Amino acid sequence: AVRFAGSPVRLARADVLRAGFLRNLGRVEEAGRLSERAALVLEQAGDQEWAVTCYALLTGIADDRGDDPAAARWAELAVRVARAGAPRRLPDALGYLAYALGATGQPDRAAEVAREALSLLDEVESPGMRAGTRINAAMALIEAGQGVVAREVLISGLSDLRQAPEGIPNYFVNLGWAHLATGEPAEALRCFRRFLDEAAHMDEWL
């Protein structure tokens, strides 16, 4: 068993949280260095749940940098570790991978991974995690030319967003892209306007 109390693992977990905070502040390079350092400790300790969290964060950081191949590599690692020993994290890891594969020009595999992620959503307890997985899977489906499916994936997940309101702005911008992909520009414009309204509201709340 992994010993967490008084060990470097606790510090590594804290570093993952700090890195996420730094990323949100726009300090992407610092967040990346901190996350990579934490990943090494978590890997060596066999802390698979937190390793998946760290790899997912590194996927997002690589995406922020515009390094799509690196994002795909980190997401592949997250899925591999989740399959091996952190099954609760598999749906969202698959969502990250689906998005990353779409960004690297692998639409068919992205759609396949997205469908697997969506098939596992009933096992996910967190509304925020379900919502995030839907958004990532939908973006992958749009890249694969499956805008109608993506639109339905997003619409059917709105109840989750109501329980995880921090994700609502991204939800509406991605639903807008889904409507554009299905030839519905008026609906897309409505969603983009809603995105701007929700984003402004979140800024005021913050």
Side-chain angles (χ1 to χ4, degrees):
V2 178
R3 294 182 60 192
F4 298 125
S7 75
V9 174
R10 292 187 68 184
L11 295 176
R13 288 181 173 188
D15 281 346
V16 173
L17 297 175
R18 286 176 55 209
F21 181 69
L22 290 169
R23 180 193 175 200
N24 289 337
L25 292 177
R27 294 162 63 178
V28 175
E29 297 305 320
E30 189 176 352
R33 289 192 297 271
L34 200 58
S35 299
E36 289 181 16
R37 185 179 73 191
L40 291 173
V41 176
L42 296 168
E43 288 166 7
Q44 292 170 359
D47 188 359
Q48 292 171 308
E49 291 267 351
W50 275 82
V52 172
T53 299
C54 191
Y55 299 144
L57 176 58
L58 283 161
T59 300
I61 290 170
D63 184 58
D64 292 345
R65 290 169 169 162
D67 190 346
D68 295 331
R73 288 193 298 272
W74 285 118
E76 292 272 17
L77 190 53
V79 168
R80 192 180 315 137
V81 173
R83 287 194 196 281
R88 292 188 307 172
R89 299 302 310 277
L90 183 57
D92 64 308
L94 288 166
Y96 281 108
L97 179 57
Y99 176 86
L101 290 170
T104 54
Q106 302 178 65
D108 292 341
R109 186 165 175 236
E112 179 184 349
V113 172
R115 287 191 294 269
E116 183 182 358
L118 294 168
S119 74
L120 299 173
L121 281 185
D122 287 345
E123 302 172 19
V124 179
E125 296 180 3
S126 163
M129 194 174 290
R130 286 196 301 269
T133 300
R134 282 183 183 278
I135 288 172
N136 285 329
M139 291 305 293
L141 291 167
I142 290 170
E143 290 292 330
Q146 300 181 29
V148 173
V149 179
R151 182 187 61 196
E152 295 310 310
V153 164
L154 290 168
I155 290 173
S156 64
L158 185 55
S159 61
D160 286 334
L161 265 297
R162 293 195 178 101
Q163 299 177 66
E166 68 279 0
I168 286 180
N170 280 340
Y171 168 84
F172 280 107
V173 75
N174 287 301
L175 183 57
W177 286 118
H179 281 300
L180 277 182
T182 55
E184 299 171 313
E187 286 298 313
L189 183 59
R190 183 182 66 81
C191 288
F192 291 144
R193 285 173 174 161
R194 181 70 183 274
F195 159 72
L196 293 173
D197 290 343
E198 294 290 345
H201 176 73
M202 289 297 291
D203 283 344
E204 291 173 3
W205 182 75
L206 291 172

